[in-house]
Amino acid sequence: MDFPIIELIDEEQATAWLLKHFHPEGLHCPHCGAGVEEARLFGKTQNSHLQIYRCLSCDGTYNLYSGTVFQQKQFTPPQVVLLLRGVCQGVPSAKIAREIGVDRQTVMSMRRVLQANAETMQPHSVLPDKCVETDEMFQNAGEKGDRH
């Protein structure tokens, strides 16, 4: 059973959460680095209703999603929060799509982009220990039906 959770998330709180996590040093112009205080309000995006800023220094435009994987995407802030939550929790793409009201293929493509970005952030160095313990959860993986 799916719950209409998208209706329960406050858009302002979702925007504030995304700002905190997408731009921890504060929102700034991706072209010249000027802060949002050196910009004027330029309008709102058509579908996601994000505030667009025009930089007074370089005349560039930007919004909350600029410089992120959600740049040029039409998700609302609550949809982005729930998409990120679902991907991190391992929720199936079809369920996330139903909950946030987008196509399953859209969720799948965003999941792939997010996972690819996460993979690039993984350390490439070898573990310093000679012995490593693993989780026992996958001890019998692939052996369904066989007596153990």
PDB file of all heavy atoms in Angstrom, residues 92-116:
ATOM      1  N   PRO A  92      12.226   0.198  -3.846  1.00  0.00           N
ATOM      2  CA  PRO A  92      12.130  -0.046  -5.288  1.00  0.00           C
ATOM      3  C   PRO A  92      11.725   1.219  -6.055  1.00  0.00           C
ATOM      4  O   PRO A  92      10.928   2.023  -5.571  1.00  0.00           O
ATOM      5  CB  PRO A  92      11.048  -1.124  -5.415  1.00  0.00           C
ATOM      6  CG  PRO A  92      11.023  -1.800  -4.087  1.00  0.00           C
ATOM      7  CD  PRO A  92      11.389  -0.746  -3.084  1.00  0.00           C
ATOM      8  N   SER A  93      12.265   1.351  -7.251  1.00  0.00           N
ATOM      9  CA  SER A  93      12.008   2.542  -8.071  1.00  0.00           C
ATOM     10  C   SER A  93      10.528   2.722  -8.378  1.00  0.00           C
ATOM     11  O   SER A  93      10.030   3.846  -8.420  1.00  0.00           O
ATOM     12  CB  SER A  93      12.794   2.472  -9.369  1.00  0.00           C
ATOM     13  OG  SER A  93      14.166   2.481  -9.098  1.00  0.00           O
ATOM     14  N   ALA A  94       9.810   1.632  -8.603  1.00  0.00           N
ATOM     15  CA  ALA A  94       8.382   1.732  -8.914  1.00  0.00           C
ATOM     16  C   ALA A  94       7.611   2.337  -7.741  1.00  0.00           C
ATOM     17  O   ALA A  94       6.717   3.157  -7.936  1.00  0.00           O
ATOM     18  CB  ALA A  94       7.826   0.361  -9.268  1.00  0.00           C
ATOM     19  N   LYS A  95       7.967   1.946  -6.531  1.00  0.00           N
ATOM     20  CA  LYS A  95       7.289   2.487  -5.344  1.00  0.00           C
ATOM     21  C   LYS A  95       7.614   3.973  -5.165  1.00  0.00           C
ATOM     22  O   LYS A  95       6.731   4.777  -4.879  1.00  0.00           O
ATOM     23  CB  LYS A  95       7.691   1.701  -4.102  1.00  0.00           C
ATOM     24  CG  LYS A  95       6.995   2.153  -2.828  1.00  0.00           C
ATOM     25  CD  LYS A  95       7.314   1.214  -1.696  1.00  0.00           C
ATOM     26  CE  LYS A  95       6.810   1.671  -0.364  1.00  0.00           C
ATOM     27  NZ  LYS A  95       5.390   1.870  -0.254  1.00  0.00           N
ATOM     28  N   ILE A  96       8.885   4.346  -5.350  1.00  0.00           N
ATOM     29  CA  ILE A  96       9.264   5.760  -5.254  1.00  0.00           C
ATOM     30  C   ILE A  96       8.496   6.563  -6.300  1.00  0.00           C
ATOM     31  O   ILE A  96       7.955   7.633  -6.004  1.00  0.00           O
ATOM     32  CB  ILE A  96      10.781   5.952  -5.453  1.00  0.00           C
ATOM     33  CG1 ILE A  96      11.568   5.257  -4.349  1.00  0.00           C
ATOM     34  CG2 ILE A  96      11.125   7.438  -5.482  1.00  0.00           C
ATOM     35  CD1 ILE A  96      13.073   5.222  -4.603  1.00  0.00           C
ATOM     36  N   ALA A  97       8.431   6.038  -7.520  1.00  0.00           N
ATOM     37  CA  ALA A  97       7.739   6.732  -8.606  1.00  0.00           C
ATOM     38  C   ALA A  97       6.272   6.964  -8.274  1.00  0.00           C
ATOM     39  O   ALA A  97       5.744   8.058  -8.509  1.00  0.00           O
ATOM     40  CB  ALA A  97       7.872   5.944  -9.900  1.00  0.00           C
ATOM     41  N   ARG A  98       5.614   5.955  -7.716  1.00  0.00           N
ATOM     42  CA  ARG A  98       4.206   6.120  -7.336  1.00  0.00           C
ATOM     43  C   ARG A  98       4.051   7.146  -6.227  1.00  0.00           C
ATOM     44  O   ARG A  98       3.123   7.953  -6.239  1.00  0.00           O
ATOM     45  CB  ARG A  98       3.621   4.777  -6.896  1.00  0.00           C
ATOM     46  CG  ARG A  98       3.385   3.810  -8.033  1.00  0.00           C
ATOM     47  CD  ARG A  98       2.561   2.612  -7.591  1.00  0.00           C
ATOM     48  NE  ARG A  98       3.102   1.910  -6.435  1.00  0.00           N
ATOM     49  CZ  ARG A  98       3.960   0.906  -6.488  1.00  0.00           C
ATOM     50  NH1 ARG A  98       4.393   0.470  -7.657  1.00  0.00           N
ATOM     51  NH2 ARG A  98       4.379   0.305  -5.383  1.00  0.00           N
ATOM     52  N   GLU A  99       4.956   7.123  -5.244  1.00  0.00           N
ATOM     53  CA  GLU A  99       4.851   8.042  -4.112  1.00  0.00           C
ATOM     54  C   GLU A  99       5.084   9.490  -4.501  1.00  0.00           C
ATOM     55  O   GLU A  99       4.451  10.385  -3.958  1.00  0.00           O
ATOM     56  CB  GLU A  99       5.830   7.647  -3.007  1.00  0.00           C
ATOM     57  CG  GLU A  99       5.403   6.437  -2.230  1.00  0.00           C
ATOM     58  CD  GLU A  99       6.356   6.096  -1.097  1.00  0.00           C
ATOM     59  OE1 GLU A  99       7.490   6.630  -1.069  1.00  0.00           O
ATOM     60  OE2 GLU A  99       5.977   5.286  -0.243  1.00  0.00           O
ATOM     61  N   ILE A 100       6.017   9.742  -5.436  1.00  0.00           N
ATOM     62  CA  ILE A 100       6.324  11.135  -5.775  1.00  0.00           C
ATOM     63  C   ILE A 100       5.631  11.604  -7.054  1.00  0.00           C
ATOM     64  O   ILE A 100       5.738  12.765  -7.427  1.00  0.00           O
ATOM     65  CB  ILE A 100       7.839  11.397  -5.854  1.00  0.00           C
ATOM     66  CG1 ILE A 100       8.487  10.666  -7.019  1.00  0.00           C
ATOM     67  CG2 ILE A 100       8.507  11.043  -4.539  1.00  0.00           C
ATOM     68  CD1 ILE A 100       9.952  11.013  -7.212  1.00  0.00           C
ATOM     69  N   GLY A 101       4.934  10.693  -7.734  1.00  0.00           N
ATOM     70  CA  GLY A 101       4.142  11.074  -8.887  1.00  0.00           C
ATOM     71  C   GLY A 101       4.922  11.318 -10.164  1.00  0.00           C
ATOM     72  O   GLY A 101       4.582  12.222 -10.928  1.00  0.00           O
ATOM     73  N   VAL A 102       5.967  10.523 -10.404  1.00  0.00           N
ATOM     74  CA  VAL A 102       6.727  10.617 -11.656  1.00  0.00           C
ATOM     75  C   VAL A 102       6.831   9.229 -12.280  1.00  0.00           C
ATOM     76  O   VAL A 102       6.471   8.233 -11.659  1.00  0.00           O
ATOM     77  CB  VAL A 102       8.136  11.223 -11.447  1.00  0.00           C
ATOM     78  CG1 VAL A 102       8.053  12.628 -10.904  1.00  0.00           C
ATOM     79  CG2 VAL A 102       8.983  10.360 -10.551  1.00  0.00           C
ATOM     80  N   ASP A 103       7.336   9.172 -13.488  1.00  0.00           N
ATOM     81  CA  ASP A 103       7.494   7.920 -14.209  1.00  0.00           C
ATOM     82  C   ASP A 103       8.596   7.063 -13.582  1.00  0.00           C
ATOM     83  O   ASP A 103       9.605   7.576 -13.109  1.00  0.00           O
ATOM     84  CB  ASP A 103       7.835   8.245 -15.670  1.00  0.00           C
ATOM     85  CG  ASP A 103       7.881   7.013 -16.531  1.00  0.00           C
ATOM     86  OD1 ASP A 103       6.857   6.308 -16.594  1.00  0.00           O
ATOM     87  OD2 ASP A 103       8.948   6.752 -17.127  1.00  0.00           O
ATOM     88  N   ARG A 104       8.408   5.747 -13.612  1.00  0.00           N
ATOM     89  CA  ARG A 104       9.387   4.817 -13.040  1.00  0.00           C
ATOM     90  C   ARG A 104      10.739   4.928 -13.738  1.00  0.00           C
ATOM     91  O   ARG A 104      11.781   4.860 -13.105  1.00  0.00           O
ATOM     92  CB  ARG A 104       8.863   3.377 -13.128  1.00  0.00           C
ATOM     93  CG  ARG A 104       9.786   2.342 -12.523  1.00  0.00           C
ATOM     94  CD  ARG A 104       9.237   0.945 -12.689  1.00  0.00           C
ATOM     95  NE  ARG A 104       9.062   0.569 -14.073  1.00  0.00           N
ATOM     96  CZ  ARG A 104      10.031   0.073 -14.848  1.00  0.00           C
ATOM     97  NH1 ARG A 104      11.238  -0.103 -14.365  1.00  0.00           N
ATOM     98  NH2 ARG A 104       9.786  -0.260 -16.095  1.00  0.00           N
ATOM     99  N   GLN A 105      10.730   5.131 -15.032  1.00  0.00           N
ATOM    100  CA  GLN A 105      11.983   5.256 -15.779  1.00  0.00           C
ATOM    101  C   GLN A 105      12.755   6.507 -15.344  1.00  0.00           C
ATOM    102  O   GLN A 105      13.988   6.497 -15.319  1.00  0.00           O
ATOM    103  CB  GLN A 105      11.717   5.298 -17.282  1.00  0.00           C
ATOM    104  CG  GLN A 105      11.305   3.959 -17.860  1.00  0.00           C
ATOM    105  CD  GLN A 105      12.338   2.886 -17.599  1.00  0.00           C
ATOM    106  OE1 GLN A 105      12.077   1.941 -16.864  1.00  0.00           O
ATOM    107  NE2 GLN A 105      13.503   3.007 -18.175  1.00  0.00           N
ATOM    108  N   THR A 106      12.041   7.562 -15.009  1.00  0.00           N
ATOM    109  CA  THR A 106      12.683   8.784 -14.515  1.00  0.00           C
ATOM    110  C   THR A 106      13.397   8.500 -13.200  1.00  0.00           C
ATOM    111  O   THR A 106      14.537   8.920 -12.997  1.00  0.00           O
ATOM    112  CB  THR A 106      11.637   9.900 -14.327  1.00  0.00           C
ATOM    113  OG1 THR A 106      10.959  10.116 -15.563  1.00  0.00           O
ATOM    114  CG2 THR A 106      12.270  11.184 -13.851  1.00  0.00           C
ATOM    115  N   VAL A 107      12.726   7.778 -12.318  1.00  0.00           N
ATOM    116  CA  VAL A 107      13.341   7.414 -11.033  1.00  0.00           C
ATOM    117  C   VAL A 107      14.544   6.511 -11.268  1.00  0.00           C
ATOM    118  O   VAL A 107      15.596   6.686 -10.648  1.00  0.00           O
ATOM    119  CB  VAL A 107      12.312   6.748 -10.093  1.00  0.00           C
ATOM    120  CG1 VAL A 107      12.987   6.241  -8.822  1.00  0.00           C
ATOM    121  CG2 VAL A 107      11.199   7.722  -9.740  1.00  0.00           C
ATOM    122  N   MET A 108      14.415   5.552 -12.183  1.00  0.00           N
ATOM    123  CA  MET A 108      15.529   4.640 -12.478  1.00  0.00           C
ATOM    124  C   MET A 108      16.741   5.404 -13.003  1.00  0.00           C
ATOM    125  O   MET A 108      17.870   5.139 -12.588  1.00  0.00           O
ATOM    126  CB  MET A 108      15.107   3.592 -13.517  1.00  0.00           C
ATOM    127  CG  MET A 108      14.274   2.470 -12.962  1.00  0.00           C
ATOM    128  SD  MET A 108      15.156   1.445 -11.790  1.00  0.00           S
ATOM    129  CE  MET A 108      16.461   0.805 -12.796  1.00  0.00           C
ATOM    130  N   SER A 109      16.527   6.357 -13.899  1.00  0.00           N
ATOM    131  CA  SER A 109      17.668   7.103 -14.448  1.00  0.00           C
ATOM    132  C   SER A 109      18.318   7.964 -13.372  1.00  0.00           C
ATOM    133  O   SER A 109      19.547   8.052 -13.308  1.00  0.00           O
ATOM    134  CB  SER A 109      17.248   7.947 -15.646  1.00  0.00           C
ATOM    135  OG  SER A 109      16.370   8.974 -15.263  1.00  0.00           O
ATOM    136  N   MET A 110      17.528   8.568 -12.497  1.00  0.00           N
ATOM    137  CA  MET A 110      18.106   9.369 -11.410  1.00  0.00           C
ATOM    138  C   MET A 110      18.839   8.479 -10.408  1.00  0.00           C
ATOM    139  O   MET A 110      19.877   8.849  -9.890  1.00  0.00           O
ATOM    140  CB  MET A 110      17.021  10.192 -10.698  1.00  0.00           C
ATOM    141  CG  MET A 110      16.509  11.353 -11.501  1.00  0.00           C
ATOM    142  SD  MET A 110      17.794  12.469 -12.117  1.00  0.00           S
ATOM    143  CE  MET A 110      18.619  12.967 -10.639  1.00  0.00           C
ATOM    144  N   ARG A 111      18.287   7.283 -10.153  1.00  0.00           N
ATOM    145  CA  ARG A 111      18.956   6.338  -9.243  1.00  0.00           C
ATOM    146  C   ARG A 111      20.331   5.972  -9.794  1.00  0.00           C
ATOM    147  O   ARG A 111      21.311   5.932  -9.067  1.00  0.00           O
ATOM    148  CB  ARG A 111      18.102   5.085  -9.062  1.00  0.00           C
ATOM    149  CG  ARG A 111      18.713   4.051  -8.117  1.00  0.00           C
ATOM    150  CD  ARG A 111      17.925   2.757  -8.076  1.00  0.00           C
ATOM    151  NE  ARG A 111      16.617   2.892  -7.490  1.00  0.00           N
ATOM    152  CZ  ARG A 111      16.350   2.685  -6.197  1.00  0.00           C
ATOM    153  NH1 ARG A 111      17.313   2.341  -5.372  1.00  0.00           N
ATOM    154  NH2 ARG A 111      15.128   2.799  -5.750  1.00  0.00           N
ATOM    155  N   ARG A 112      20.411   5.723 -11.096  1.00  0.00           N
ATOM    156  CA  ARG A 112      21.694   5.364 -11.709  1.00  0.00           C
ATOM    157  C   ARG A 112      22.703   6.504 -11.586  1.00  0.00           C
ATOM    158  O   ARG A 112      23.884   6.278 -11.298  1.00  0.00           O
ATOM    159  CB  ARG A 112      21.495   5.000 -13.177  1.00  0.00           C
ATOM    160  CG  ARG A 112      20.828   3.667 -13.365  1.00  0.00           C
ATOM    161  CD  ARG A 112      20.779   3.271 -14.828  1.00  0.00           C
ATOM    162  NE  ARG A 112      19.952   2.093 -14.992  1.00  0.00           N
ATOM    163  CZ  ARG A 112      18.758   2.096 -15.579  1.00  0.00           C
ATOM    164  NH1 ARG A 112      18.262   3.211 -16.079  1.00  0.00           N
ATOM    165  NH2 ARG A 112      18.075   0.981 -15.683  1.00  0.00           N
ATOM    166  N   VAL A 113      22.247   7.728 -11.813  1.00  0.00           N
ATOM    167  CA  VAL A 113      23.136   8.888 -11.703  1.00  0.00           C
ATOM    168  C   VAL A 113      23.619   9.048 -10.264  1.00  0.00           C
ATOM    169  O   VAL A 113      24.815   9.263 -10.012  1.00  0.00           O
ATOM    170  CB  VAL A 113      22.418  10.177 -12.183  1.00  0.00           C
ATOM    171  CG1 VAL A 113      23.213  11.415 -11.842  1.00  0.00           C
ATOM    172  CG2 VAL A 113      22.153  10.112 -13.673  1.00  0.00           C
ATOM    173  N   LEU A 114      22.709   8.933  -9.304  1.00  0.00           N
ATOM    174  CA  LEU A 114      23.074   9.070  -7.892  1.00  0.00           C
ATOM    175  C   LEU A 114      24.058   7.969  -7.474  1.00  0.00           C
ATOM    176  O   LEU A 114      25.031   8.234  -6.767  1.00  0.00           O
ATOM    177  CB  LEU A 114      21.828   9.031  -7.011  1.00  0.00           C
ATOM    178  CG  LEU A 114      20.904  10.244  -7.124  1.00  0.00           C
ATOM    179  CD1 LEU A 114      19.557   9.955  -6.487  1.00  0.00           C
ATOM    180  CD2 LEU A 114      21.551  11.463  -6.511  1.00  0.00           C
ATOM    181  N   GLN A 115      23.802   6.736  -7.906  1.00  0.00           N
ATOM    182  CA  GLN A 115      24.689   5.634  -7.544  1.00  0.00           C
ATOM    183  C   GLN A 115      26.058   5.773  -8.209  1.00  0.00           C
ATOM    184  O   GLN A 115      27.078   5.462  -7.601  1.00  0.00           O
ATOM    185  CB  GLN A 115      24.042   4.301  -7.898  1.00  0.00           C
ATOM    186  CG  GLN A 115      22.881   3.967  -6.979  1.00  0.00           C
ATOM    187  CD  GLN A 115      22.129   2.715  -7.396  1.00  0.00           C
ATOM    188  OE1 GLN A 115      22.145   2.312  -8.552  1.00  0.00           O
ATOM    189  NE2 GLN A 115      21.441   2.110  -6.441  1.00  0.00           N
ATOM    190  N   ALA A 116      26.092   6.264  -9.435  1.00  0.00           N
ATOM    191  CA  ALA A 116      27.373   6.478 -10.112  1.00  0.00           C
ATOM    192  C   ALA A 116      28.179   7.555  -9.390  1.00  0.00           C
ATOM    193  O   ALA A 116      29.390   7.419  -9.215  1.00  0.00           O
ATOM    194  CB  ALA A 116      27.144   6.869 -11.570  1.00  0.00           C
TER     195      ALA A 116
END
